[in-house]
């Protein structure tokens, strides 16, 4: 007796799309054994039909119109690998859901901006909208949060969710090279997005964090309230000073429950050298989940790439084939909490770098600005003079970020301050 089929349409045949086709072609018998369904790719779409590709697509029907493909009656699952936060990708997903198809996507930008309305649409149609590949590549963090940790009240989700910036910071530290030099190297290797600010500006990581926050904390997606700071201000001096203090600088994503709501941030931070985040190097991603029952759980793996991301996509299709259906963000969308926009970060120590003109009394003025906000200084290091300039490194005791920002704003007005102060949060564990 023949097996039932899971009929698939794919829009987007870049690295991940080709990887998906390769897995279906290579592991067809394995997929059938694990799901009870034969996987059949029925139709495909991409910008160019004639482009040379590493997989054989000759047996699949080519469709120039992705929207028409999404509406076909002989399709069970559509896979969106087009990319972009709106435009064709959004129209394709909406058309597929409206016509009663399950959807699998790797598009974190689309979900971060339109996830609430897409979730409502999917649930109204009784269809799955799955997105394991959208966050942290091959790490099964979506499945873990939605299923494995479902019995936990989540306290905090943190991690490194952009492999490009992790690669850049790793090279800066290991090879003692400048930000500009490592930016050029990452660009030449093809690691940076067409718009590099998505990576180095922290936006890509913020898209992913907003998705995890919705799923982990049972609230509607709230990308607009992610506090975002990229790595553009991280210098080799900061990396070297952090190492002397026993830390390593990483672009840290963090969503943490506070009495005022969930505070979301993406920003460079100092993490202990021997901590899980401190040990995550190169292009790897890591997510740390802290729940009331599980405690702290660390997941690490490749955050991007053909095999890792395609593996996540095929995992979602397998769950659909098994008829494993759940609400998009873990609970029915109309029951999710409305995010609070006034949540503030908890107090923490901070690393501060100042570039000062070597004037009499300037240190006293700096100290007075901190004292005015009741910020105590744990450590102060004055580096070697650069002509008349004095680089100054400060480590504060735990303080509220708003107080630190006020102190730094006052310091920045001093005549002796030669450039904007730099400040990074210190993660203590």
């Amino acid at each position: 007796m023949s097996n039932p089929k899971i009929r698939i349409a794919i829009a987007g045949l870049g690295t991940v799309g080709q990887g998906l086709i390769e897995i279906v072609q290579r592991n067809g018998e394995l997929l059938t054994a694990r799901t009870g369904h034969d996987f059949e790719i029925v139709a495909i779409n991409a910008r160019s039909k004639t482009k040379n590709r590493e997989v054989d697509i000759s047996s699949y029907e080519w469709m120039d119109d992705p929207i028409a493909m999404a509406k076909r009656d002989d399709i069970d699952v559509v896979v969106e690998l087009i990319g972009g936060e709106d435009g064709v990708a959004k129209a394709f997903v909406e058309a597929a859901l409206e016509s009663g198809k399950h959807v699998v996507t790797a598009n974190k930008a689309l979900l971060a901006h339109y996830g609430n309305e897409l979730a409502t649409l999917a649930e109204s149609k009784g269809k799955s909208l799955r997105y394991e590949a959208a966050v942290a590549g091959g790490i099964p963090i979506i499945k873990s949060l939605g299923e494995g940790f479902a019995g936990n009240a989540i306290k905090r989700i943190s991690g490194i969710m952009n492999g490009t910036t992790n690669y850049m910071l790793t090279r800066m530290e290991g090879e003692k090279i400048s930000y500009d030099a490592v930016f050029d190297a990452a660009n030449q290797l093809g690691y940076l997005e067409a718009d590099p600010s998505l990576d180095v500006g922290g936006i890509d990581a913020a898209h992913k964090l907003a998705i995890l926050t919705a799923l982990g904390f049972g609230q509607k997606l709230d990308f607009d309230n992610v506090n975002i700071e990229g790595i553009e201000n991280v210098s080799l001096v900061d990396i070297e000073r952090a190492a002397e203090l026993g830390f390593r600088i990483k672009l840290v994503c963090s969503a943490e429950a506070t009495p005022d709501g969930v505070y979301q941030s993406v920003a460079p931070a100092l993490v202990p050298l021997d901590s899980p985040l401190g040990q995550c190097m190169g292009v790897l991603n890591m997510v740390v989940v802290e729940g009331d029952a599980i405690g702290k759980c660390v997941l690490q793996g490749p955050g991007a790439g053909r095999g890792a991301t395609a593996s996540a996509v095929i995992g979602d299709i397998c769950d659909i084939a098994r008829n494993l259906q759940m609400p998009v963000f873990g609970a029915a969308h109309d029951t999710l909490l409305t995010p609070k926009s006034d949540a503030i970060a908890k107090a923490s120590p901070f690393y501060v770098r100042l570039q000062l003109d070597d004037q009499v009394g300037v240190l006293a003025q700096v100290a007075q600005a901190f004292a005015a906000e009741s910020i105590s200084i744990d450590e102060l290091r004055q580096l070697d003079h650069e002509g008349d300039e004095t680089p100054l490194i400060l480590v504060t005791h735990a303080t509220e970020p708003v107080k630190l920002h006020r102190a730094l704003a006052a310091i920045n007005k001093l005549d002796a301050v030669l450039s904007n102060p730099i400040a990074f949060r210190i993660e203590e564990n």
Side-chain angles (χ1 to χ4, degrees):
M1 188 170 70
S2 61
N3 296 302
K5 291 181 178 180
I6 188 86
R7 298 166 300 178
I8 304 165
I10 305 170
L13 296 177
T15 299
V16 179
Q18 293 180 69
L20 173 60
I21 290 173
E22 184 178 38
I23 291 174
V24 172
Q25 292 176 346
R26 184 181 67 233
N27 294 339
E29 291 183 3
L30 181 65
L31 294 170
T32 299
R34 289 178 173 173
T35 67
H37 286 69
D38 290 335
F39 282 48
E40 179 184 1
I41 298 173
V42 173
I44 56 176
N45 162 269
R47 282 182 292 183
S48 171
K49 184 176 182 179
T50 58
K51 178 180 177 180
N52 289 328
R53 295 183 170 93
E54 298 176 17
V55 291
D56 181 8
I57 60 173
S58 60
S59 62
Y60 311 132
E61 182 177 350
W62 181 275
M63 294 195 67
D64 292 320
D65 183 354
I67 307 304
M69 184 173 73
K71 295 178 179 180
R72 286 177 54 153
D73 293 332
D74 59 343
I75 301 295
D76 302 305
V77 179
V78 302
V79 180
E80 185 275 306
L81 301 172
I82 301 167
E85 68 183 59
D86 48 25
V88 176
K90 181 172 181 283
F92 176 71
V93 170
E94 289 173 333
L97 292 172
E98 287 283 6
S99 59
K101 310 296 190 299
H102 299 291
V103 174
V104 176
T105 180
N107 193 334
K108 63 265 185 183
L110 174 66
L111 290 169
H113 289 278
Y114 299 104
N116 288 320
E117 59 190 75
L118 293 175
T120 298
L121 176 57
E123 291 170 22
S124 73
K125 296 294 183 178
K127 295 300 175 181
S128 292
L129 171 60
R130 303 188 69 97
Y131 49 91
E132 184 69 70
V135 181
I139 301 174
I141 184 57
I142 303 301
K143 197 170 185 66
S144 297
L145 280 174
E147 299 177 33
F149 301 144
N152 285 255
I154 302 299
K155 299 178 179 179
R156 187 175 191 231
I157 299 170
S158 59
I160 296 168
M161 301 180 201
N162 182 273
T164 298
T165 52
N166 204 40
Y167 160 84
M168 291 172 65
L169 293 171
T170 297
R171 282 201 64 184
M172 286 177 71
E173 177 187 356
E175 300 177 33
K176 310 298 182 188
I177 55 179
S178 69
Y179 172 85
D180 289 339
V182 78
F183 180 95
D184 290 341
N187 201 27
Q188 290 172 10
L189 289 168
Y191 287 171
L192 288 168
E193 297 275 4
D195 177 2
S197 67
L198 292 173
D199 288 314
V200 299
I203 299 169
D204 171 81
H207 287 152
K208 299 169 185 175
L209 180 68
I211 294 167
L212 295 188
T213 300
L215 183 58
F217 292 93
Q219 67 175 38
K220 292 180 172 65
L221 259 162
D222 189 28
F223 173 73
D224 289 342
N225 280 313
V226 182
N227 297 274
I228 307 172
E229 180 185 346
I231 66 167
E232 301 97 325
N233 290 325
V234 178
S235 73
L236 188 55
V237 170
D238 299 318
I239 287 175
E240 292 173 341
R241 298 293 83 76
E244 292 172 1
L245 295 166
F247 295 92
R248 182 169 277 140
I249 297 179
K250 297 291 184 181
L251 183 67
V252 176
C253 302
S254 176
E256 187 164 11
T258 78
D260 301 310
V262 180
Y263 181 79
Q264 304 177 83
S265 73
V266 174
L270 277 68
V271 299
L273 290 169
D274 59 356
S275 67
L277 293 182
Q279 294 296 304
C280 184
M281 306 297 282
V283 296
L284 290 176
N285 279 201
M286 176 179 287
V287 183
V288 182
V289 179
E290 298 177 40
D292 62 345
I294 192 68
K296 184 182 290 187
C297 187
V298 179
L299 297 90
Q300 176 178 292
R306 175 172 171 150
T309 310
S311 173
V313 171
I314 203 72
D316 279 343
I317 300 174
C318 286
D319 278 353
I320 291 170
R322 295 170 179 138
N323 201 30
L324 296 176
Q325 191 165 342
M326 60 183 290
V328 177
F329 296 115
H333 194 264
D334 60 5
T335 70
L336 296 178
L337 300 173
T338 299
K340 297 180 180 180
S341 60
D342 53 355
I344 59 173
K346 294 180 180 179
S348 70
F350 281 85
Y351 163 98
V352 178
R353 172 167 55 84
L354 304 173
Q355 199 73 14
L356 307 173
D357 190 13
D358 191 10
Q359 298 178 11
V360 175
V362 65
L363 292 182
Q365 292 176 309
V366 169
Q368 183 177 4
F370 281 112
E373 296 294 338
S374 300
I375 300 172
S376 61
I377 298 173
D378 181 45
E379 190 169 347
L380 184 151
R381 298 187 182 190
Q382 186 170 328
L383 306 182
D384 292 338
H385 283 56
E386 301 170 358
D388 293 332
E389 294 185 20
T390 302
L392 190 68
I393 303 297
L394 298 163
V395 175
T396 74
H397 286 288
T399 186
E400 296 172 7
V402 65
K403 292 183 177 181
L404 180 75
H405 294 157
R406 285 198 300 258
L408 294 181
I411 290 169
N412 204 28
K413 294 177 182 178
L414 299 176
D415 291 339
V417 175
L418 302 175
S419 60
N420 292 330
I422 301 299
F424 304 132
R425 180 185 179 96
I426 297 177
E427 301 276 347
E428 297 184 285
N429 53 52

